[in-house]
Amino acid sequence: MPQVRYKIYSLSASALMAYAQGGAESGYAFTLNAKATEKCKVLSSLHEQQDCALLFQTMCVLRGDNYQLPMEDTLISDLSDVICYVDFSNIFDRNAAQNRHAVRQKKAESMFRPEGIVLDFGAGPCRYLAFERSNSMSRKAQISFVREDIYEPLRRRIMLDMKIGSCQLSKLYAYNGLMLSGGTRLDGIEIDKPHRVIVIDNEESSVWNVPVITVIDKFMPLFPAFWRQGPSQEKTRTFDQFKTLLKKDFRWESQAFERYA
């Protein structure tokens, strides 16, 4: 299979903050020209992304549903001013009790407003809106931003034009994030034909005699009763219950326990 990669720039959210305009009360705005956008690119990044379902669907928005992947190893630059990745590492994992961290987090939050951010990758200033991220990107505190004119048609494509009401957002974001996971496109399987999709029951089973560790703590070697044998559905004990049992069985004073817990 050909190795298809896309030219997509990675930007540093910390660098973008240097161009924040406005105040904390009304939120911050970001309007960067080509020179400023260039300065915000992550120097250590190759600015290349492997093929995935979302990037292919973005190309279909740009080139039409008849778009076909190249048949040889290719670096596609069509999306270099359509999608970008923004790195928010070392921002939201800091203590907001410190004023400088609170201000940085406020600036970062403003990038997620409906107004988005304005960037210029060389073809003129365009507005970009926060979009999706894969599980790997979430762990790295990264998220994709999509050009405003592409945002809605692309969102409708990956949602199969479904309108979602009340739902568990974490699951919705997780499923959408799969579109950014690397993979290989297979054509010609015609999954939409009758009898091509099989739905099976979600069976449940109880497994016995499986060791279940319900509490792990520095006191575990002193309290082996918490290594349990039983069904995997067994309820775990809370840490408060653990402390109560320790004080009862070992006659430890509360203050002594709190000092070592």
Side-chain angles (χ1 to χ4, degrees):
M1 298 295 292
Q3 297 295 316
V4 176
R5 302 185 69 82
Y6 293 86
K7 189 73 173 179
I8 295 178
Y9 295 108
S10 297
L11 306 181
S12 167
S14 297
L16 287 169
M17 290 178 189
Y19 301 94
Q21 303 169 348
E25 294 299 327
S26 59
Y28 295 87
F30 297 84
T31 303
L32 283 70
N33 57 26
K35 184 177 181 180
T37 303
E38 184 68 27
K39 290 182 178 180
C40 293
K41 293 179 181 177
V42 179
L43 297 179
S44 59
S45 174
L46 291 176
H47 305 295
E48 295 181 7
Q49 300 297 329
Q50 68 184 83
D51 191 21
C52 66
L54 186 136
L55 301 183
F56 178 84
Q57 293 299 323
T58 307
M59 290 296 293
C60 289
V61 173
L62 291 176
R63 306 293 177 235
D65 289 336
N66 293 326
Y67 170 75
Q68 297 290 326
L69 286 172
M71 300 305 295
E72 57 185 14
D73 293 357
T74 309
L75 176 62
I76 300 175
S77 60
D78 300 51
L79 303 183
S80 60
D81 65 340
V82 175
I83 298 178
C84 65
Y85 288 3
V86 180
D87 184 353
F88 287 88
S89 57
N90 300 321
I91 295 177
F92 291 111
D93 58 348
R94 296 297 184 262
N95 186 359
Q98 299 184 32
N99 185 63
R100 66 187 183 93
H101 292 317
V103 172
R104 282 169 55 84
Q105 291 176 11
K106 184 68 175 179
K107 290 180 178 179
E109 290 171 2
S110 295
M111 299 183 197
F112 294 89
R113 295 191 305 172
E115 296 82 0
I117 58 179
V118 175
L119 304 170
D120 186 348
F121 290 103
C126 295
R127 192 172 302 277
Y128 292 80
L129 308 177
F131 199 53
E132 300 290 347
R133 73 280 190 202
S134 66
N135 287 336
S136 174
M137 292 172 65
S138 295
R139 291 192 296 269
K140 299 175 184 177
Q142 297 175 345
I143 189 171
S144 64
F145 277 69
V146 174
R147 205 171 66 197
E148 185 179 35
D149 60 311
I150 301 297
Y151 179 93
E152 187 57 25
L154 181 57
R155 186 195 66 81
R156 291 178 59 184
R157 290 182 77 94
I158 70 172
M159 295 289 293
L160 302 179
D161 212 13
M162 294 186 298
K163 292 181 171 58
I164 305 297
S166 299
C167 67
Q168 191 171 345
L169 288 178
S170 60
K171 292 188 178 296
L172 176 62
Y173 293 150
Y175 281 117
N176 287 350
L178 290 175
M179 299 286 290
L180 274 161
S181 297
T184 301
R185 180 176 176 82
L186 299 177
D187 291 318
I189 58 176
E190 299 179 327
I191 197 172
D192 58 331
K193 297 267 185 175
H195 312 300
R196 291 294 177 90
V197 178
I198 301 175
V199 180
I200 61 173
D201 292 334
N202 185 17
E203 300 289 349
E204 295 182 1
S205 61
S206 298
V207 181
W208 298 86
N209 297 322
V210 176
V212 178
I213 303 174
T214 55
V215 173
I216 300 177
D217 191 80
K218 66 180 71 175
F219 296 105
M220 180 62 73
L222 302 177
F223 203 64
F226 276 85
W227 290 72
R228 304 289 297 254
Q229 291 280 346
S232 58
Q233 294 90 347
E234 183 177 15
K235 293 183 179 179
T236 60
R237 294 178 178 176
T238 65
F239 193 68
D240 286 338
Q241 290 173 322
F242 179 52
K243 290 195 296 185
T244 301
L245 288 170
L246 277 176
K247 288 187 286 186
K248 177 182 178 181
D249 291 358
F250 292 96
R251 302 180 185 280
W252 286 357
E253 293 295 331
S254 176
Q255 291 181 350
F257 180 84
E258 296 295 339
R259 185 167 62 252
Y260 289 101

